[in-house]
Amino acid sequence: MTKEVQIAVKDLTIGYGDFVLLKNLNYNINKGDVFIIMGGSGCGKSSMLRALTGLVMPQKGTIMIDGIDFTKAKPSVRDDIMRKCGILYQSGALFSSMTLAENIALPLQQYSTYSEQEINELVSLKLALVGLAGFEEFYPSEISGGMKKRAGLARALALDPEIVYFDEPSAGLDPVSSKLLDDLILDINHNLGTTIVVVTHELASIFAIGSNSIFLDGESKSIMGYGNPKEMLKNPPNEKVYNFLTRGEAKNA
């Protein structure tokens, strides 16, 4: 069965001034993918995510989202597209002076027509979805790092997005919390059909959740691997991808 393409990146070049970070990138993210953007430090993973979310304008090329050219769309159209997307930032990016309920209610208050009672019910639902039922009145300073990530995810899911972007979701988490977050990502993908795009270098997460991926190479400024991470481990396209996916352990054993 042919999968529906949700995001199509065509001939994309990303840079800052005269400095080119990535060039001539071509790949698709299918609807329902858990898509991994991976690579070594400084290869442009975060810049790629910023381009996908409209925070950085590419120097060349297009990003098509649901058939619309996101890179050249009018501001009102770009806003409409981004309201179908959620973002979990690396730190969770919760407002420290607001309770978890207030953090999650904010996008609903700004971008929906729900009543206050309906918003309160939705906030409780989203918190329960990420395993934080009953934590509505807690402040970010009162919960653990893993709980902050889950609260940030609840806020990212507030408007029932079709796409959720994750920036290094496992950063700063212990292995148990990281595994719980991976399981939660898979649950959201399977149960809600949400397309997931994850920037990460954590091998455990890459193999646990990734259904498709690209490997970005900072030296060639290009994509050096494209496909299911487990399949790329079995049949690596080149030595760089192999070394990344094994951390060199198999070769040095």
Side-chain angles (χ1 to χ4, degrees):
M1 183 185 295
T2 302
K3 291 189 175 182
E4 179 184 348
V5 175
Q6 189 152 38
I7 303 173
V9 174
K10 300 179 180 179
D11 301 321
L12 197 72
T13 295
I14 300 170
Y16 301 91
D18 294 332
F19 176 71
V20 174
L21 184 61
L22 295 163
K23 60 184 179 181
N24 303 324
L25 305 186
N26 290 276
Y27 64 93
N28 293 333
I29 300 174
N30 295 321
K31 192 173 182 64
D33 268 351
V34 178
F35 193 92
I36 308 294
I37 299 172
M38 58 184 175
S41 297
C43 70
K45 299 187 299 294
S46 293
S47 292
M48 185 69 254
L49 188 67
R50 292 188 189 106
L52 290 172
T53 55
L55 296 175
V56 167
M57 289 300 294
Q59 293 181 338
K60 190 185 78 168
T62 59
I63 298 170
M64 307 291 292
I65 301 179
D66 290 329
I68 299 171
D69 186 347
F70 182 60
T71 51
K72 297 181 178 63
K74 294 186 297 185
S76 60
V77 175
R78 288 166 63 86
D79 287 346
D80 287 342
I81 291 171
M82 285 311 300
R83 283 175 196 171
K84 297 178 183 178
C85 303
I87 304 174
L88 176 60
Y89 298 98
Q90 188 173 138
S91 64
L94 297 169
F95 293 103
S96 60
S97 61
M98 300 169 70
T99 65
L100 301 192
E102 289 168 340
N103 267 280
I104 295 156
L106 191 60
L108 291 162
Q109 292 165 345
Q110 292 187 333
Y111 300 115
S112 79
T113 57
Y114 292 121
S115 67
E116 184 176 349
Q117 181 179 343
E118 288 171 327
I119 288 175
N120 290 338
E121 290 172 356
L122 283 168
V123 165
S124 294
L125 176 65
K126 301 303 180 183
L127 281 171
L129 184 65
V130 300
L132 291 175
F135 283 82
E136 284 85 350
E137 299 309 313
F138 281 66
Y139 286 88
S141 61
E142 298 174 320
I143 59 176
S144 69
M147 294 168 77
K148 287 177 186 176
K149 292 284 181 81
R150 284 187 278 149
L153 178 54
R155 186 178 60 187
L157 295 171
L159 295 170
D160 296 322
E162 297 176 11
I163 305 166
V164 178
Y165 298 99
F166 291 78
D167 184 13
E168 297 282 5
S170 299
L173 297 184
D174 61 84
V176 173
S177 297
S178 180
K179 173 67 165 56
L180 289 172
L181 187 58
D182 285 345
D183 291 343
L184 183 55
I185 290 171
L186 288 176
D187 284 344
I188 290 166
N189 173 252
H190 292 159
N191 296 329
L192 304 180
T194 309
T195 301
I196 307 288
V197 182
V198 184
V199 166
T200 186
H201 64 274
E202 298 286 345
L203 284 185
S205 292
I206 288 168
F207 292 127
I209 67 175
S211 62
N212 203 357
S213 68
I214 53 171
F215 177 87
L216 298 177
D217 175 57
E219 187 176 2
S220 65
K221 307 179 189 298
S222 66
I223 295 172
M224 292 196 70
Y226 181 15
N228 183 290
K230 292 178 181 176
E231 293 301 319
M232 281 203 285
L233 179 60
K234 290 179 184 176
N235 299 292
N238 52 67
E239 189 173 3
K240 281 192 175 181
V241 172
Y242 174 80
N243 286 336
F244 179 86
L245 293 177
T246 64
R247 296 294 193 261
E249 292 177 7
K251 193 171 184 178
N252 296 329

